[in-house]
């Protein structure tokens, strides 16, 4: 890691967070730009909220080890790169358009192993057609990941 990596990591709040970002940089080979993005999106805190304390300590000591499919899907996702204000009531079509126009950043937020397949992908079940907003393939899990965007705002036509 470069001096710039250490300079950014030392801005963290506590030793556990510093260890976490250091191990993740080493394991994931993050650029300084990616490290800044992960720290700004509070990856450490999101992992801490989704896992037990011993799990976070283990991640800080040896990096994130993914043993189950549930470990690959983050909760929650942070889409700051889409440029939509936090309190702005947007339509799912707007969100989809923003995510597609920022596909590289979106794939980085999803995590390792995701490959983009398509958008508004038609799926037929029992002779009924459905359209999935975004379709990805996860090469480690060897399965498709279907994302149906749902925004809580309903607009009348």
């Amino acid at each position: 890691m470069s001096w710039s990596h250490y300079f950014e990591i030392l801005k963290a709040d506590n030793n556990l967070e510093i260890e976490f970002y250091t191990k993740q940089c080493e394991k994931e080979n993050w650029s300084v730009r990616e490290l800044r993005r992960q720290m700004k999106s509070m990856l450490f805190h999101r992992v801490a909220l989704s896992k037990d304390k011993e799990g976070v300590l283990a991640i800080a000591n040896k990096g994130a080890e993914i043993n189950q499919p549930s470990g690959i899907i983050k909760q929650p996702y942070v889409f700051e790169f889409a440029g939509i204000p936090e309190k702005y009531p947007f339509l799912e079509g707007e969100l989809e358009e923003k995510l597609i126009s920022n596909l590289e950043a979106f794939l980085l937020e999803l995590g390792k192993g995701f490959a983009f397949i398509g958008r508004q992908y038609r799926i037929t079940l029992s002779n009924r057609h459905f359209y999935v907003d975004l379709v990805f393939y996860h090469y480690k899990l060897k399965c498709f990941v279907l994302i149906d965007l749902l925004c809580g705002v309903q607009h009348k036509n």
Side-chain angles (χ1 to χ4, degrees), residues 8-126:
E8 293 300 323
I9 289 171
L10 290 174
K11 294 177 184 176
D13 293 335
N14 59 58
N15 288 340
L16 185 59
E17 190 173 355
I18 289 169
E19 290 176 34
F20 173 84
Y21 285 117
T22 301
K23 292 296 181 186
Q24 287 303 110
C25 280
E26 291 170 355
K27 184 172 180 152
E28 303 294 334
N29 199 24
W30 285 345
S31 66
V32 175
R33 182 177 173 210
E34 178 60 14
L35 170 62
R36 277 189 207 116
R37 191 185 82 74
Q38 293 292 358
M39 289 181 76
K40 186 176 180 181
S41 71
M42 301 182 72
L43 176 65
F44 172 77
H45 299 287
R46 289 186 287 146
V47 170
L49 288 173
S50 66
K51 300 198 184 260
D52 59 86
K53 189 168 182 148
E54 289 79 28
V56 174
L57 289 170
I59 289 170
N61 290 329
K62 61 182 177 185
E65 295 290 329
I66 297 171
N67 299 322
Q68 300 174 358
S70 62
I72 289 175
I73 308 299
K74 295 184 205 170
Q75 279 291 4
Y77 286 104
V78 178
F79 299 139
E80 82 284 350
F81 57 82
I84 300 174
E86 193 174 329
K87 302 287 185 192
Y88 178 74
F90 50 87
L91 298 172
E92 77 178 55
E94 290 177 277
L95 177 59
E96 179 182 335
E97 194 60 43
K98 292 280 191 178
L99 294 177
I100 293 299
S101 65
N102 293 286
L103 190 56
E104 181 181 7
F106 182 50
L107 284 170
L108 287 171
E109 177 60 21
L110 286 177
K112 278 188 158 186
F114 287 91
F116 179 67
I117 302 299
R119 66 190 284 199
Q120 293 303 315
Y121 203 86
R122 187 174 95 172
I123 296 176
T124 304
L125 300 168
S126 301

